[in-house]
Amino acid sequence: MQRVAILGPGASGKSTLAKRLGDITGLPVIELDKLFWMPGLIGLPRDQWLELQQRLSAESQWIMDGDLGSYDAVEVRLRRADTIIFLDFSIVRCAWRAVRRARERLDFWLWLLRYRHQARPALLAAIAKHAPNARLHRLSNPEGLRRFVELRLWEGIS
């Protein structure tokens, strides 16, 4: 596990997981939200976003967390990832966490509400197409995530 892409709906815990895995493994953590969103929550232009991801993913080691929905170009990092962790949590759980953490824009809520039926199938298709040889860990609840981290279930897997 040298190049890890962490994906999932908003407020699923991607950044928290990335930080924990970075602490455990020593891999550098890249929080894509902080790089993509400019002041005023304006996204980087697509060509700049593609170029930035290509530069970041060219490194030999990283953990990148983020799922920017329709704004994203996830295929860039999927092509380089050797490990993908998909936090496939319920939208109710993510919505509850989002309400507790901060105010969100309308486009966030629309994306979250449509995630299971629109974004998720597109993401799974992108994983199959662009990362067929990557190790996929699909975690569907906090207990599974806790076990994954505490038992280091990614270790010893070739």
Side-chain angles (χ1 to χ4, degrees), residues 7-58:
L7 304 165
S12 60
K14 296 179 296 291
S15 297
T16 301
L17 174 59
K19 183 178 180 329
R20 284 192 69 197
L21 288 179
D23 290 344
I24 292 167
T25 64
L27 295 172
V29 175
I30 302 165
E31 188 176 344
L32 295 174
D33 275 345
K34 290 182 178 178
L35 300 174
F36 178 77
W37 296 108
M38 298 182 295
L41 285 177
I42 297 169
L44 278 179
R46 186 159 180 87
D47 59 335
Q48 290 178 30
W49 183 233
L50 288 168
E51 181 183 325
L52 177 59
Q53 282 192 85
Q54 287 169 346
R55 194 172 66 245
L56 293 170
S57 66

Side-chain angles (χ1 to χ4, degrees), residues 40-81:
L41 285 177
I42 297 169
L44 278 179
R46 186 159 180 87
D47 59 335
Q48 290 178 30
W49 183 233
L50 288 168
E51 181 183 325
L52 177 59
Q53 282 192 85
Q54 287 169 346
R55 194 172 66 245
L56 293 170
S57 66
E59 297 295 323
S60 62
Q61 296 183 319
W62 42 262
I63 297 172
M64 286 191 214
D65 83 88
D67 189 334
L68 299 162
S70 62
Y71 299 102
D72 211 345
V74 70
E75 66 277 3
V76 175
R77 59 191 181 277
L78 287 177
R79 287 185 190 120
R80 290 278 300 146

